[in-house]
Amino acid sequence: EVMKETFNISMMEKKLKSHFNLQDVVVVPGDSDEYPWVKKEMGRACVSLMKKKFSTEENIIAVTGGTSISAVAEMMAPNTELEKALFVPARGGLGEQVENQANTICAEMARKASGKYRLLHVPDQLSKESYSSLVEEPSVREILGLIRSAAMVVHGIGEARTMATRRQSSQELVDKLRDKNAVAEAFGYYFDQSGDIIHKVLTIGLQLEDLATIPYVVAVAGGSSKGHAIQAYMKQGPSEVLVTDEGAAKAILSEI
Ligand code: F6P
C-alpha cells in the first residue's frame, strides 16, 4: 500500500513537472482542503527546498502572505543554513488580515530560522499619487532595492473569488473579476484561465516583471479547490517550482 502510494505521488510529480514545464514539483500526500496537517506538510517540503537552494552569497528571500506561506514559516526550524538569510516581504499591503500579511509571515519565518528581516510598511489602499511619492522615500527605496535583488521568492497562489472576498474588496472589483472571468491570484495580480492579467492591486514591492530575473521562484499552493487557480497561474507565471498536495494534483491531472 505504501509502495503504491509513493509510486502514485512520484508519477504525479513527473506529470505536473512536464505539463507545466517546471524545474521541480513536490506533491505531498492528502488534500489540504480536508486536512489542515497537509498544509503543514507542504510547508515542511518547502522548507527543505529552501535549505537546499539557499546560498549565503545571495541571501535575500522574499515571501508573500497567505496561509500556505504561513505554514512554511511555521515549519521553519532554527540553526539551519537559513540563519544567514535576510527575509523581506515580496509586496506591500494587499488587504489581508494581520496573520496573513507578508510582513507578519516574513518576521515569523526569520525568527524561526534565526535569520534577519526587513519589513515594508505600506498602506493597503494606495492612490496613484501616494504610490508615486512613497516609492521616492529613501527608506522605502532602500528596502525596494533589497526586495528586487532577492535570490529566492516563496509565494502563494489563491483562487480569485476567494481572495477578493478575503480581502473585502470593493463591489466594483468583485464585478470586474466576475466579468473578466478571474480564476487565480498571486502577488496581488488576478489572472484569467489563460493566465492573462486582468487586474493588479496597486502596491509597492515586487512587480510580476521583476520575477523574471529572480533565480528561484517557488509557489506553494494545494487543496483540490485550487486546481483551476494553479493551472491558470502556471500558464504564464514566472515560478519554476511548485509545492502542492495530492488534492490539487489530482484535480489538475484529471483535466489535462
Ligand atoms: O494575499 C497574499 C497571497 O499570497 C495571495 O497572493 C494568494 O492568492 C494568497 O495569499 C494565498 O493564500 P492561501 O495560501 O491562504 O490560500
Side-chain angles (χ1 to χ4, degrees):
E1 188 58 35
V2 173
M3 284 280 287
K4 199 172 138 210
E5 191 77 343
T6 314
F7 176 74
N8 282 340
I9 293 274
S10 60
M11 282 299 286
M12 285 192 260
E13 289 171 340
K14 267 203 202 104
K15 282 186 186 159
L16 289 174
K17 190 174 151 184
S18 82
H19 179 71
F20 292 134
N21 195 16
L22 296 173
Q23 208 183 89
D24 212 353
V25 172
V26 179
V27 175
V28 305
D31 183 344
S32 52
D33 283 352
E34 278 175 58
Y35 303 105
W37 53 263
V38 177
K39 204 174 268 185
K40 294 190 188 181
E41 287 309 313
M42 289 196 290
R44 193 197 304 278
C46 182
V47 170
S48 330
L49 285 176
M50 289 170 79
K51 283 193 210 161
K52 212 159 66 184
K53 286 289 173 178
F54 182 72
S55 112
T56 46
E57 286 92 71
E58 295 182 282
N59 68 339
I60 301 178
I61 301 179
V63 300
T64 69
T67 59
S68 310
I69 309 306
S70 176
V72 178
E74 197 183 336
M75 301 314 282
M76 184 59 73
N79 302 319
T80 64
E81 299 82 339
L82 295 169
E83 66 184 26
K84 302 259 167 27
L86 174 66
F87 293 89
V88 293
R91 297 192 83 199
L94 293 175
E96 293 268 26
Q97 306 257 33
V98 177
E99 64 275 20
N100 279 330
Q101 285 170 12
N103 269 341
T104 312
I105 293 169
C106 166
E108 165 79 353
M109 210 182 279
R111 189 179 65 77
K112 286 267 180 74
S114 309
K116 296 193 177 64
Y117 66 90
R118 294 289 303 275
L119 300 181
L120 188 55
H121 298 289
V122 196
D124 284 355
Q125 302 280 335
L126 270 180
S127 66
K128 289 224 168 69
E129 296 72 38
S130 38
Y131 175 89
S132 325
S133 57
L134 252 177
V135 288
E136 293 308 324
E137 273 296 319
S139 60
V140 173
R141 284 178 74 120
E142 190 215 339
I143 173 138
L144 276 177
L146 294 173
I147 293 172
R148 291 202 191 102
S149 57
M152 196 187 288
V153 175
V154 181
H155 72 96
I157 302 170
E159 198 271 315
R161 196 181 324 201
T162 308
M163 289 316 298
T165 311
R166 191 161 100 189
R167 290 170 175 162
Q168 296 180 295
S169 306
S170 67
Q171 191 57 46
E172 196 188 337
L173 178 56
V174 172
D175 292 346
K176 177 178 172 185
L177 294 175
R178 190 201 48 227
D179 294 346
K180 300 203 165 183
N181 301 313
V183 178
E185 196 284 347
F187 300 103
Y189 292 79
Y190 287 87
F191 307 87
D192 66 14
Q193 100 177 312
S194 317
D196 288 325
I197 299 169
I198 55 183
H199 180 80
K200 170 184 170 184
V201 180
L202 187 63
T203 187
I204 64 176
L206 277 185
Q207 309 299 311
L208 210 55
E209 55 271 23
D210 298 327
L211 288 153
T213 55
I214 296 185
Y216 198 67
V217 183
V218 186
V220 185
S224 44
S225 63
K226 275 193 192 176
H228 289 141
I230 296 170
Q231 282 189 74
Y233 171 79
M234 286 298 171
K235 292 251 165 73
Q236 300 186 45
S239 314
E240 42 266 330
V241 178
L242 171 67
V243 177
T244 189
D245 64 16
E246 201 183 341
K250 281 186 174 152
I252 297 166
L253 292 171
S254 69
E255 288 181 359
I256 61 178

